[in-house]
Amino acid sequence: MAAETPRDLRALFDPRSVAVVGASRDPAKWGHWLAEGALRGERRRSVYLVNRAGGEVLGRPAYRSLAELPESPELVVLAVPASAFESTVDTALGLGARALVAIAAGLGESGEEGLRIERRVADHVRAAGAVLLGPNCQGVYDGLAELDLGSENFVPGPIGLVSQSGNLALEVSLLGADVGLGISRFASLGNQADLEVADLVEALAAHDATRLIAVYCEDFRDGRAFARSARAAVDAEKPVVLLAGGASVVGRRAAHSHTGALVSDSAAIDAACRAAGILRVSSPKRLVEVAQLLLAARRPCGRRLAVVADGGGSAVVAADLAAGVGLELPRLSPELSASLDAVMPETATTTNPVDFAGAGEQDLRAYERVPRLLLESGEVDVVMLTGYIGGYGLLAEELSAAETEAARGLARAAADAGRPAVVQSMHWQEPPAVALREAGVPVFRDVEAALTATALVAGHELRARREVPSSPAPATPLNDDGGYFEARALLAAGGVVFPEARHVTGDGEAVAAAAELGYPVALKAMGLLHKSDAGGVVLGIEDEEQLSRAVAELDERLSPDGYSLERLVSAPASVELIVGCKQDPRFGPILLVGLGGVLAEVMRDTAVALAPAEAEEVEELLLGLAGASLLTGIRGRPPLDVGAAASAASAVSRVAAEHPELAELEINPLIVTPTGAIGLDARLVYSQPR
Amino acid sequence: MAAETPRDLRALFDPRSVAVVGASRDPAKWGHWLAEGALRGERRRSVYLVNRAGGEVLGRPAYRSLAELPESPELVVLAVPASAFESTVDTALGLGARALVAIAAGLGESGEEGLRIERRVADHVRAAGAVLLGPNCQGVYDGLAELDLGSENFVPGPIGLVSQSGNLALEVSLLGADVGLGISRFASLGNQADLEVADLVEALAAHDATRLIAVYCEDFRDGRAFARSARAAVDAEKPVVLLAGGASVVGRRAAHSHTGALVSDSAAIDAACRAAGILRVSSPKRLVEVAQLLLAARRPCGRRLAVVADGGGSAVVAADLAAGVGLELPRLSPELSASLDAVMPETATTTNPVDFAGAGEQDLRAYERVPRLLLESGEVDVVMLTGYIGGYGLLAEELSAAETEAARGLARAAADAGRPAVVQSMHWQEPPAVALREAGVPVFRDVEAALTATALVAGHELRARREVPSSPAPATPLNDDGGYFEARALLAAGGVVFPEARHVTGDGEAVAAAAELGYPVALKAMGLLHKSDAGGVVLGIEDEEQLSRAVAELDERLSPDGYSLERLVSAPASVELIVGCKQDPRFGPILLVGLGGVLAEVMRDTAVALAPAEAEEVEELLLGLAGASLLTGIRGRPPLDVGAAASAASAVSRVAAEHPELAELEINPLIVTPTGAIGLDARLVYSQPR
């Protein structure tokens, strides 16, 4: 579990002295690479190489043990086998080390015994007030501090990188280098015996040279702590981009409700990202693409896009792709089109997309003039220039300087207008592209990536900032049998509306209850996992005769544990929702809302949030569903009471958060009508079977 | 319209002599670039430069006119203004030219007068038995023939490229060059005054050096001819990859049915691609990615994927992404896992995804051994190696040769197993990657692209080969008022089942008809565009009294042109489909099928095919819908009669194809029950208002 108070990681990233235990002469060994890396920072700090055999390593005398060092090393890096892990850490702590980095594999990831050792060592580390990265990690890097232990030749830059994979950290750094983005700090997570992803994100948020935090993580440990530290980073204007690994792995726990099946591990991560303001991506390439946009001089703060192309095909392809990623190409006003006409040749297209049709060949300053008019118009939120820029200098050397100057002009136009320009060019590595990047304008190689990243970042910037919800005080744990009536009672107490119902056990009781409630009624057989699927629900019972017939038929066919007799809810212009919560082992209770019914289940149109969620946030979730138009009115249907549905779902999320003993809690369906929302079924599942 | 018989394009791509009219000394002019390019092929053919002013161009004497040339030029390239286009073509034809390439802009694309000139010129060209590319085009290229007129320094290779955009052709060539793929032939479409995209695809299909045809097209002209030429190319084992431009442009014609609104220009292109076996992509990058896979030594012929990674993070990310693009990671058999265990270190993961966990560092031959076992097992259709390969040589020069040899071993393993390997590596340009590509194994830079392209190609290879349907003989054109009963009658004659119905005009007729049909009945008000939305349909009328009440209420509220009184279709376990056809101006009648009802409309779960479509093909469309499980049975629902639905839709498509005078023809909804399919509404829309 992540520590409550921030850990001091200065000694980890910028130690005054470093000792490499296990420094090796063998160039294929970690102990060699670490020693090499440590020595690269020798002008900033003392570096001690420790090798049991003594002698020389990389031209330096090797100490036989930590105890022999002339001073207490602030940071100790352990390139030792698993068997020497605990004793080496203890020795280092005894000497006063403040930070440890353990490369050693074969501990927690290999089984129970390794886990026990890790827990013991972490206790020792914390007791000593030190920090430990790893074990089973790939080192640490700080560009400004010239600390390079295990890195893969990172270039310094604005990205703080936390990764549970060395391969992916390297891949991110290579992709970043292509677009001029380097690494400020890198920490390899390893087994997170002591320092967890949350601690490292927190440290990067406080690190001046880090302007964006990129995380690859498979094991989030205390997921809410991670979300809170990410939230704090985002609030401090350091965007957090997450590539979450292993999200597709099928959970082994059997789900007992539809919510349980729908809230995957990946959905829980989505809920956390939503609360924390994390931008989640699915590949290293996408990570670097959104980082480019997030680190640009200006970010897109809306979806209205003008496409400017220096070739018809590029304009058309960009326009075709834009809608698919959720960007809009507004029609330009006649005034704006006229002002574009005035600076372009007659053949140019001055609607959106704008096509140069030779304007660039005629006068390279078109690359500044046209975007400037668009950016300053206020009619669009972002201008994407797509196509060829960077190629003129290849065609004719004499165009080179003018082209780069035109690129700088484009960046100036964006700066003057205070709105972002994004560029895609097949000549993405030529001097004009480099000049654009230096001036804060991102340049992409492929247009689909440019548009997708723009849409992702625009959507992200538009989203309302939320808090990571705190857990409410736990209520008295439930201790009943968790049946239908108990679930209804619990949720009704939380504020959810249900139709009036009576628990009846036979024909006589049913008839009496129906007389009290008034016909028409609905009859539901109890004690079945999926009442409707089993044919255990009879709706629209109009009179006593029909009721008796229904009871007799269900008795015979299903032998249920009694019935719920309910006033029939008649709501022709309504929509069924599914609303539920599930306890995620890392991220706590997760609220899910979605369109209900069989068809919606096939379509899986759902959204998630960390529980408890306020009604206002749930309303946002509902209105963001693909099928939201069913709720807001479509083809003559009346708008439904989305607010009531949101309140009900919010209540479910609160109840779930107050009852951590519940693994799952669900209303399915929740009927939304033009004037309210009413639960037609309720289910709860305990974490531990009663 | 594309010509009926193949055009002979030998003189266009490999002429015995070339004349450049408008050859220029100005290095910023087309006439200069074309002359330069033409001279690059001088050792293969005579090259004549024509410039009205005479003198010298590029060190050659320039002729003042075509008439001065010492021989009749086989190919004449026109870098002349629009005003000189017609006369220059006529002169060239008079001299016996066999092929013309016209760069001139300002003709058909600029208005009616230009179009008239183009039509006239095309007639002259055809009468002379010659061919014309353009006008408003960017030239032609043939790598083997060393013909380079207007190219952008293409590198020779296997891709035949037809493009309506110079920018995009260049971008494709640059992206291709990165992965060792060059261009066999390039033709710029321009205005297609004579040669159309269909002609050029046909020519490339017959061109030995072309192994794959890549098309960027905005204007398909005779779309069915294009589809037929692509089908012929695909049947000749030359895959066709299409980037269609302008597909998102909102059609200006108002749609009168839901089908009309749902069959976008883009959907019509999809239907053509389906029939022709064309693989459609949305960006130049994707085009080159699928080309890489289609041109590899072996193509994925199934969706079962084994992921092999030389780093845990790479394995996890690839596995997470695979499901999202439609690939499956099957569990490996215990025998296969055991055989992998035997060749890998203990720390390695030998389930799917397979993680080397240092196996590569231990012995580079793991890069051959592990994929070989997987490929030879028959348990997967394709192996994707992802991560680092190519980097060992960067780490340590002495590993370089062994690493490249390991890469060749991987290619050998794929060849021996007869199954494809696909590689993603952050070191995608290093010698091992080049060796892999040379041995027919595609290497990608980013894993999402590698997986997406693999899934696209696997899906494409799995699809049943279809024919481009021919239009049936037109039936006698309809000439009625196209109302509900006429539409029903037309479709019923085609084989669609409808409930029994009577056209009635008032209460008396309604009651009499109901007595004949038997209760319950449905009453539908006629003469309304959307009966249901307007509240013009009353279902479940049980007796005469209810019927009279319904007639009175509808009379009062809607004053309809009479009613259809129908036997009520009661089918609780049924699903509503929408089935319709629309005439596309380029691709002819298009069939659309999809899930009906309001929710499905929101979800837009539809599929298209060229009409007429056989029932077997429609069944494939229906079973490919996202919501197909609603048809095949889900959660205890019975499977529905998909065959009957497919037959009904096939009938609709046949009727539409026989009646080109119909712009739209629709059944919405078509109710599919466990034992049949029945149309509950029918609509037809004439192309010309009656």
Side-chain angles (χ1 to χ4, degrees):
Chain A
M1 184 166 145
E4 296 296 306
T5 51
R7 311 287 297 270
D8 178 6
L9 305 191
R10 202 267 312 147
L12 177 66
F13 287 110
D14 189 11
R16 283 183 272 268
S17 55
V18 172
V20 178
V21 184
S24 166
R25 275 173 293 271
D26 181 346
K29 289 213 158 158
W30 267 101
H32 186 84
W33 308 330
L34 290 165
E36 258 185 346
L39 290 170
R40 281 199 284 274
E42 219 174 5
R43 68 187 186 98
R44 280 184 65 101
R45 63 184 61 86
S46 321
V47 175
Y48 304 106
L49 307 184
V50 179
N51 183 308
R52 270 196 300 186
E56 266 201 359
V57 173
L58 288 161
R60 269 69 169 184
Y63 298 86
R64 284 172 196 277
S65 76
L66 280 171
E68 285 183 12
L69 305 194
E71 65 170 319
S72 166
E74 228 183 17
L75 172 64
V76 177
V77 191
L78 287 75
V80 299
S83 56
F85 168 58
E86 186 168 8
S87 60
T88 312
V89 170
D90 286 345
T91 305
L93 291 173
L95 292 168
R98 311 305 304 148
L100 301 120
V101 175
I103 309 297
L107 286 151
E109 80 281 13
S110 299
E112 274 307 314
E113 175 55 20
L115 260 181
R116 272 192 296 272
I117 296 171
E118 281 189 5
R119 287 203 197 101
R120 231 166 28 224
V121 167
D123 286 345
H124 299 177
V125 168
R126 287 174 189 164
V131 295
L132 166 72
L133 192 66
N136 190 23
C137 87
Q138 315 228 348
V140 64
Y141 167 88
D142 187 312
L144 286 183
E146 296 175 59
L147 183 80
D148 187 357
L149 300 172
S151 101
E152 315 262 9
N153 299 317
F154 291 147
V155 175
I159 299 178
L161 183 58
V162 178
S163 176
Q164 215 163 350
S165 157
N167 251 17
L168 292 187
L170 177 58
E171 187 164 353
V172 164
S173 76
L174 289 171
L175 290 163
D178 274 351
V179 291
L181 295 179
I183 305 296
S184 58
R185 280 181 170 175
F186 162 66
S188 165
L189 281 172
N191 293 351
Q192 306 183 66
D194 175 36
L195 289 174
E196 297 184 359
V197 59
D199 301 310
L200 290 157
V201 168
E202 193 170 62
L204 290 174
H207 178 231
D208 286 342
T210 294
R211 293 178 47 221
L212 176 142
I213 300 170
V215 179
Y216 171 75
C217 189
E218 297 170 8
D219 178 357
F220 288 92
R221 298 300 174 106
D222 182 344
R224 292 254 173 156
F226 166 68
R228 278 191 301 270
S229 63
R231 175 82 267 168
V234 171
D235 288 343
E237 303 307 327
K238 304 205 175 176
V240 179
V241 186
L242 170 66
L243 174 58
S248 70
V249 175
V250 180
R252 276 161 215 280
R253 289 152 290 130
H256 294 280
S257 67
H258 292 123
T259 302
L262 289 168
V263 180
S264 61
D265 289 359
S266 183
I269 297 169
D270 280 339
C273 288
R274 185 183 166 82
I278 296 167
L279 209 162
R280 184 174 176 191
V281 293
S282 55
S283 72
K285 177 164 177 283
R286 189 75 76 213
L287 188 153
V288 173
E289 286 160 359
V290 300
Q292 233 202 128
L293 275 169
L294 289 165
L295 288 166
R298 279 154 299 280
R299 295 178 198 155
C301 290
R303 301 184 179 280
R304 296 174 308 160
L305 173 76
V307 169
V308 179
D310 48 14
S314 301
V316 167
V317 167
D320 285 352
L321 287 167
V325 300
L327 296 170
E328 302 150 24
L329 264 70
R331 255 174 222 273
L332 306 183
S333 69
E335 297 71 35
L336 181 52
S337 284
S339 64
L340 293 169
D341 280 334
V343 301
M344 300 245 275
E346 237 179 73
T347 46
T349 310
T350 55
T351 49
N352 195 2
V354 176
D355 178 9
F356 270 18
E361 285 78 354
Q362 209 168 74
D363 184 346
L364 283 165
R365 285 171 298 177
Y367 283 100
E368 173 175 355
R369 287 176 184 153
V370 172
R372 179 179 290 280
L373 287 168
L374 290 161
L375 287 162
E376 289 183 344
S377 71
E379 295 182 23
V380 297
D381 302 303
V382 52
V383 168
M384 179 161 304
L385 175 71
T386 171
Y388 185 78
I389 193 173
Y392 294 95
L394 297 173
L395 262 187
E397 175 55 34
E398 62 270 27
L399 294 175
S400 224
E403 187 183 24
T404 298
E405 185 43 38
R408 290 206 186 95
L410 167 57
R412 270 195 309 274
D416 293 345
R419 288 196 182 81
V422 178
V423 175
Q424 178 271 330
S425 173
M426 63 185 101
H427 302 294
W428 65 304
Q429 297 286 42
E430 300 301 323
V434 173
L436 281 164
R437 290 193 191 104
E438 278 168 2
V441 175
V443 182
F444 291 84
R445 174 171 204 173
D446 70 287
V447 68
E448 195 158 11
L451 289 162
T452 304
T454 300
L456 280 172
V457 170
H460 186 254
E461 295 293 313
L462 287 169
R463 211 156 289 139
R465 287 208 172 187
R466 304 259 166 221
E467 289 304 305
V468 176
S470 311
S471 296
T476 312
L478 299 169
N479 199 17
D480 53 41
D481 74 352
Y484 173 62
F485 284 95
E486 289 77 10
R488 268 178 59 118
L490 178 69
L491 289 165
V496 179
V497 179
F498 290 94
E500 235 184 302
R502 300 283 185 277
H503 191 175
V504 299
T505 50
D507 184 46
E509 282 183 31
V511 168
E516 226 180 285
L517 294 177
Y519 288 95
V521 294
L523 183 72
K524 300 177 180 173
M526 295 290 97
L528 309 169
L529 190 57
H530 293 293
K531 289 185 274 295
S532 297
D533 294 358
V537 177
V538 183
L539 302 175
I541 298 172
E542 298 279 350
D543 54 32
E544 199 176 309
E545 190 194 326
Q546 285 180 18
L547 177 57
S548 296
R549 235 182 5 236
V551 171
E553 196 275 326
L554 292 178
D555 269 349
E556 161 130 13
R557 184 158 52 82
L558 302 169
S559 315
D561 313 341
Y563 297 93
S564 175
L565 188 95
E566 308 183 3
R567 185 168 284 164
L568 187 72
V569 175
S570 164
S574 68
V575 163
E576 291 185 11
L577 296 181
I578 175 172
V579 169
C581 277
K582 178 185 174 183
Q583 278 286 344
D584 182 86
R586 305 150 304 159
F587 293 97
I590 309 294
L591 169 68
L592 172 132
V593 296
L595 288 174
V598 174
L599 187 51
E601 193 168 308
V602 171
M603 301 297 181
R604 302 237 162 184
D605 187 13
T606 60
V608 290
L610 294 184
E614 296 301 320
E616 187 196 355
E617 181 173 6
V618 181
E619 196 161 336
E620 207 177 279
L621 293 182
L622 290 169
L623 295 177
L625 292 174
S629 58
L630 293 172
L631 298 170
T632 52
I634 181 176
R635 294 189 53 201
R637 287 159 150 252
L640 305 181
D641 192 345
V642 178
S647 294
S650 171
V652 173
S653 79
R654 211 166 41 242
V655 172
E658 286 166 350
H659 289 281
E661 73 275 19
L662 296 181
E664 300 168 23
L665 179 62
E666 177 179 271
I667 305 180
N668 185 17
L670 178 78
I671 299 289
V672 196
T673 72
T675 58
I678 186 160
L680 290 200
D681 200 356
R683 179 189 310 282
L684 61 81
V685 180
Y686 287 103
S687 303
Q688 304 293 333
R690 308 270 114 174
Chain B
M1 187 169 146
E4 295 297 306
T5 50
R7 310 286 297 270
D8 179 5
L9 304 191
R10 201 267 313 147
L12 177 67
F13 287 109
D14 191 11
R16 282 181 273 268
S17 55
V18 172
V20 178
V21 183
S24 166
R25 274 172 293 270
D26 180 346
K29 290 212 158 157
W30 266 101
H32 186 83
W33 308 332
L34 289 166
E36 259 185 345
L39 290 170
R40 281 199 285 274
E42 219 173 5
R43 66 185 187 100
R44 280 185 65 101
R45 63 182 63 85
S46 321
V47 175
Y48 304 107
L49 307 185
V50 178
N51 183 308
R52 270 196 302 185
E56 264 200 0
V57 173
L58 288 163
R60 268 69 168 185
Y63 296 86
R64 285 172 197 276
S65 76
L66 279 172
E68 286 183 11
L69 305 195
E71 65 170 318
S72 165
E74 229 184 15
L75 172 65
V76 176
V77 191
L78 286 74
V80 299
S83 57
F85 168 58
E86 186 169 9
S87 60
T88 312
V89 170
D90 285 344
T91 306
L93 292 174
L95 292 168
R98 310 306 304 148
L100 301 121
V101 175
I103 309 296
L107 286 151
E109 81 281 14
S110 299
E112 274 306 314
E113 175 55 21
L115 260 181
R116 271 192 295 273
I117 297 172
E118 280 189 6
R119 287 203 199 100
R120 229 163 32 221
V121 167
D123 285 343
H124 299 177
V125 168
R126 286 173 189 164
V131 295
L132 166 73
L133 193 66
N136 191 25
C137 88
Q138 315 228 348
V140 64
Y141 167 87
D142 187 313
L144 285 184
E146 294 174 61
L147 183 81
D148 187 356
L149 300 172
S151 101
E152 315 260 9
N153 301 318
F154 292 146
V155 174
I159 299 179
L161 182 57
V162 177
S163 176
Q164 215 163 350
S165 157
N167 252 16
L168 293 186
L170 177 58
E171 188 164 353
V172 164
S173 77
L174 289 171
L175 290 162
D178 274 350
V179 292
L181 294 180
I183 306 296
S184 58
R185 280 180 170 176
F186 161 65
S188 165
L189 280 173
N191 293 351
Q192 308 184 64
D194 174 38
L195 288 175
E196 298 185 358
V197 59
D199 300 311
L200 291 156
V201 168
E202 193 169 63
L204 290 174
H207 179 230
D208 286 342
T210 294
R211 290 178 48 221
L212 177 142
I213 300 169
V215 178
Y216 171 75
C217 188
E218 298 171 7
D219 177 357
F220 288 92
R221 299 298 174 107
D222 182 344
R224 292 253 173 157
F226 166 68
R228 278 191 300 271
S229 64
R231 175 82 266 169
V234 171
D235 288 344
E237 303 306 329
K238 304 206 175 178
V240 179
V241 185
L242 170 66
L243 174 57
S248 70
V249 175
V250 180
R252 277 162 213 278
R253 289 153 289 130
H256 295 279
S257 67
H258 292 123
T259 301
L262 288 168
V263 180
S264 62
D265 288 359
S266 184
I269 297 169
D270 280 339
C273 288
R274 185 182 165 81
I278 296 167
L279 209 161
R280 185 176 175 190
V281 295
S282 54
S283 73
K285 178 164 176 283
R286 190 75 76 215
L287 187 153
V288 173
E289 287 160 358
V290 301
Q292 234 202 126
L293 275 169
L294 288 165
L295 288 166
R298 278 154 299 280
R299 296 179 197 154
C301 291
R303 299 184 179 282
R304 297 174 307 162
L305 173 76
V307 168
V308 178
D310 47 16
S314 302
V316 167
V317 167
D320 285 352
L321 287 167
V325 300
L327 296 171
E328 303 150 22
L329 264 69
R331 257 174 221 272
L332 306 182
S333 68
E335 298 72 36
L336 180 52
S337 284
S339 64
L340 292 168
D341 280 333
V343 300
M344 300 243 273
E346 237 178 73
T347 46
T349 310
T350 55
T351 50
N352 195 4
V354 175
D355 177 10
F356 270 19
E361 285 77 356
Q362 208 168 77
D363 184 347
L364 284 166
R365 284 171 298 177
Y367 283 100
E368 172 175 355
R369 287 176 184 151
V370 171
R372 179 180 290 279
L373 287 167
L374 290 160
L375 288 162
E376 289 182 344
S377 73
E379 295 182 23
V380 296
D381 301 305
V382 52
V383 167
M384 179 160 304
L385 175 72
T386 172
Y388 184 79
I389 193 172
Y392 294 95
L394 298 172
L395 264 187
E397 175 55 33
E398 62 271 27
L399 294 175
S400 225
E403 187 184 22
T404 298
E405 185 44 38
R408 291 208 185 94
L410 167 57
R412 270 194 308 274
D416 293 346
R419 288 197 182 81
V422 177
V423 174
Q424 180 272 329
S425 172
M426 62 186 102
H427 302 295
W428 64 305
Q429 296 285 42
E430 300 301 322
V434 174
L436 281 164
R437 290 192 191 105
E438 279 168 1
V441 175
V443 181
F444 291 84
R445 174 171 205 173
D446 70 288
V447 67
E448 195 159 10
L451 288 162
T452 304
T454 300
L456 279 172
V457 171
H460 186 253
E461 296 292 313
L462 286 169
R463 211 155 290 139
R465 289 209 170 186
R466 304 260 167 219
E467 289 304 305
V468 176
S470 312
S471 296
T476 312
L478 299 171
N479 198 19
D480 53 42
D481 74 352
Y484 173 63
F485 283 95
E486 288 78 10
R488 269 178 58 116
L490 178 69
L491 290 165
V496 179
V497 179
F498 291 94
E500 234 184 304
R502 300 281 185 277
H503 191 176
V504 299
T505 51
D507 183 48
E509 283 182 31
V511 168
E516 229 181 284
L517 294 176
Y519 289 95
V521 294
L523 183 72
K524 299 178 180 172
M526 295 291 97
L528 308 170
L529 189 58
H530 292 295
K531 288 184 277 295
S532 298
D533 293 358
V537 177
V538 184
L539 302 173
I541 298 173
E542 298 280 350
D543 53 33
E544 199 175 309
E545 190 195 325
Q546 285 180 19
L547 178 56
S548 296
R549 230 174 21 229
V551 170
E553 196 276 325
L554 291 179
D555 268 349
E556 162 130 13
R557 183 159 52 82
L558 301 171
S559 312
D561 312 343
Y563 296 94
S564 175
L565 188 97
E566 307 182 4
R567 184 168 284 163
L568 186 73
V569 175
S570 164
S574 68
V575 164
E576 290 186 10
L577 297 181
I578 175 172
V579 170
C581 277
K582 178 184 174 184
Q583 277 287 343
D584 182 86
R586 306 151 303 160
F587 293 99
I590 308 294
L591 169 68
L592 172 132
V593 296
L595 287 174
V598 174
L599 187 52
E601 194 168 308
V602 171
M603 301 297 180
R604 301 237 162 186
D605 188 12
T606 60
V608 290
L610 294 184
E614 296 299 322
E616 187 196 357
E617 180 172 6
V618 181
E619 195 161 336
E620 206 177 279
L621 294 182
L622 290 169
L623 296 177
L625 292 173
S629 58
L630 292 173
L631 297 171
T632 53
I634 181 176
R635 295 189 53 202
R637 287 160 150 250
L640 305 181
D641 193 345
V642 178
S647 293
S650 170
V652 173
S653 79
R654 210 167 40 241
V655 172
E658 285 167 351
H659 289 281
E661 74 274 19
L662 296 181
E664 298 168 24
L665 179 62
E666 178 179 270
I667 305 180
N668 184 18
L670 178 79
I671 299 289
V672 197
T673 72
T675 58
I678 187 161
L680 290 200
D681 200 356
R683 178 188 311 281
L684 60 82
V685 179
Y686 287 103
S687 302
Q688 305 293 334
R690 309 270 114 173

